[in-house]
Amino acid sequence: MVVASSELLAPVFKPLIQELETKVRQVEENVSAGVPASRKDLELYIWKTGRVVRLLVKPEASPAREIFWSECKGILKQCLAIEHFNAGVFRPECVQKDILETHLLKMLEKLLDYTRRRLSGQIAPPDEVQTVESAAKRARLAKEEKEAEEKKKLEQDWAKQDQAWASWRGGQELQTRWDDVDSDPGEECPDKAKTGFAPTAGSAASATDRRRRVFVAAPDGETRPYT
């Protein structure tokens, strides 16, 4: 299994980054000037970009370089019709239709950023030449790995919340109300003992409503519920 590591490809990355930085500055200046290039000039510039990238990478020199060239093609195809591209011969059909300088700039910036991240090791090197199928597989695996990490984190968060809730519940003293306990039917109502009044079953002062009763001072000095 071949791994196109950053160590093996350091002689490729550094000159490629330098070349791409120059091209990004050139295209940025053209875009800022507001004078669009002709279709012919744009086609030629895009073809030359693909050509210089391939010359610097030299995919035929080693399996690692071949793998990295396949990575580059995955980005170059935004402007290049890879199936018609030939580094030795310019043909107008090797450039995608309806391409503008802004599209070219985005492609150059993306390839530059990708190469820098490959050099630094932020992007793991693939172990095989990247095709449409392998690129889709790699994207799917990356997505599944991300979803698994998010699921694991969510489960950990829920576990922490459950633990915190259990700790809080354990520290609370259960307080029992007199009306939460079964009583003797013959036992005198506590409300009557306090106020002289006993609520009837159908009155507003039921067991549930007693929690919201308002007590007022009666003329005789006693405190009676206001109903």
Side-chain angles (χ1 to χ4, degrees):
M1 181 177 66
V2 177
V3 177
S5 64
S6 57
E7 292 80 9
L8 285 174
L9 294 173
V12 174
F13 291 148
K14 293 178 181 179
L16 180 57
I17 288 173
Q18 185 177 0
E19 180 67 29
L20 290 172
E21 287 174 342
T22 300
K23 287 188 174 295
V24 166
R25 285 195 300 269
Q26 290 174 346
V27 178
E28 281 179 338
E29 290 174 0
N30 291 343
V31 171
S32 298
V35 181
S38 66
R39 173 68 186 183
K40 184 177 180 179
D41 290 342
L42 188 57
E43 288 175 345
L44 190 60
Y45 192 93
I46 292 174
W47 172 76
K48 286 183 176 180
T49 297
R51 180 175 181 271
V52 74
V53 171
R54 193 189 186 285
L55 289 174
L56 289 171
V57 175
K58 293 184 177 63
E60 66 282 353
S62 71
R65 287 172 177 254
E66 183 183 7
I67 290 173
F68 182 62
W69 170 238
S70 70
E71 296 173 71
C72 292
K73 287 192 294 185
I75 298 176
L76 290 170
K77 69 181 182 180
Q78 295 177 8
C79 291
L80 276 173
I82 299 297
E83 64 275 13
H84 300 302
F85 174 72
N86 185 328
V89 180
F90 167 71
R91 292 186 296 176
E93 59 267 28
C94 76
V95 178
Q96 300 282 7
K97 296 180 180 180
D98 302 323
I99 289 295
L100 303 174
E101 282 181 290
T102 51
H103 301 142
L104 171 60
L105 179 59
K106 288 180 181 179
M107 183 199 75
L108 290 170
E109 290 174 337
K110 185 173 182 179
L111 184 55
L112 175 58
D113 179 66
Y114 184 87
T115 307
R116 284 172 173 166
R117 292 168 67 192
R118 279 285 272 111
L119 174 62
S120 67
Q122 289 179 282
I123 296 179
D127 54 14
E128 61 182 359
V129 171
Q130 298 300 284
T131 61
V132 174
E133 292 77 13
S134 62
K137 180 182 177 181
R138 193 178 183 188
R140 187 185 74 253
L141 292 175
K143 181 181 178 182
E144 291 175 354
E145 183 179 355
K146 182 180 179 182
E147 289 176 347
E149 290 177 356
E150 292 176 347
K151 182 180 179 182
K152 182 178 180 181
K153 185 178 183 300
L154 185 61
E155 289 174 349
Q156 290 175 342
D157 291 343
W158 277 112
K160 289 179 181 178
Q161 291 183 24
D162 289 343
Q163 186 177 7
W165 173 252
S167 299
W168 181 85
R169 290 275 296 176
Q172 301 300 306
E173 294 183 1
L174 295 178
Q175 298 182 357
T176 304
R177 292 175 53 88
W178 73 267
D179 53 349
D180 291 333
V181 181
D182 292 336
S183 60
D184 186 348
E187 182 183 1
E188 186 179 10
C189 175
D191 277 359
K192 184 175 181 181
K194 291 180 180 180
T195 65
F197 292 91
T200 60
S203 69
S206 63
T208 301
D209 291 336
R210 277 196 298 274
R211 301 172 187 176
R212 298 188 293 270
R213 294 176 65 187
V214 178
F215 288 84
V216 297
D220 57 5
E222 293 293 331
T223 301
R224 291 186 174 84
Y226 175 78
T227 59

